[in-house]
Amino acid sequence: MQSTKNKKESNSLVSQKFDFDYLIKQEIEKLIDNVEEDVDVITFCEDPYYLGQPLHPVEKVILKVFYGVKLDDVIPTIQAKHFPNDEKGKWFTEKQYIEFLIRQQRINVDNFEELCSSQELVLVCGRRSGKTFLASI
């Protein structure tokens, strides 16, 4: 017969082996990156380590302006078309696109600095345009 002490020891080993909370915590510890560094909002959205959600170029601009991330002024990534007969459109860098929107009075600010100091964001966008995702960030 097993002694009471041996039964307790064997029960504790069994409970340790099958303690799912403990196993889950161990696996989570393995997944968590211990490097404590800040990431910008675009990296947070697009990197597979975080959300892994690819963004459209205009969505990137909206988030960069609202969170104060520096806009790209080198690579034209945004195409603006003047419908109905403009097939090619015009390509803008992120900064040029904001300046274009200000000139066209499509943004209710007078200059870029005023836009960057905004604390409230109102998106007037069409159906299936990413409003829910942008608002959740």
Side-chain angles (χ1 to χ4, degrees), residues 59-77:
E59 290 175 324
K60 287 182 187 180
V61 170
I62 291 169
L63 291 173
K64 282 183 175 184
V65 168
F66 189 70
Y67 285 99
V69 178
K70 187 175 187 240
L71 295 175
D72 180 28
D73 198 18
V74 178
I75 302 170
T77 57

Side-chain angles (χ1 to χ4, degrees), residues 3 20 48 51 66 74 78 81 89 94 101-102 117 119 123 129:
S3 70
F20 291 110
L51 296 181
F66 189 70
V74 178
I78 301 171
K81 295 182 179 182
E94 293 172 346
L101 293 176
I102 291 171
S117 66
Q119 294 181 0
L123 298 173
S129 60

Side-chain angles (χ1 to χ4, degrees), residues 3-98:
S3 70
T4 309
K5 184 177 180 183
N6 287 342
K7 282 184 182 180
K8 286 182 182 178
E9 286 178 7
S10 66
N11 285 342
S12 69
L13 288 175
V14 169
S15 66
Q16 284 179 357
K17 286 182 183 178
F18 296 102
D19 185 1
F20 291 110
D21 289 338
Y22 176 75
L23 292 173
I24 290 171
K25 286 178 185 176
Q26 278 186 324
E27 291 303 313
I28 290 173
E29 294 278 330
K30 291 178 190 175
L31 293 174
I32 294 176
D33 186 3
N34 290 330
V35 178
E36 299 259 343
E37 63 182 54
D38 291 336
V39 295
D40 64 63
V41 66
I42 305 303
T43 304
F44 177 73
C45 291
E46 294 188 323
D47 193 299
Y49 184 76
Y50 300 102
L51 296 181
Q53 174 70 40
L55 297 172
H56 296 288
V58 175
E59 290 175 324
K60 287 182 187 180
V61 170
I62 291 169
L63 291 173
K64 282 183 175 184
V65 168
F66 189 70
Y67 285 99
V69 178
K70 187 175 187 240
L71 295 175
D72 180 28
D73 198 18
V74 178
I75 302 170
T77 57
I78 301 171
Q79 184 181 25
K81 295 182 179 182
H82 297 282
F83 289 104
N85 300 323
D86 189 6
E87 291 182 19
K88 290 184 179 180
K90 183 173 180 182
W91 288 90
F92 295 99
T93 64
E94 293 172 346
K95 191 164 187 174
Q96 290 171 338
Y97 184 65
I98 292 295

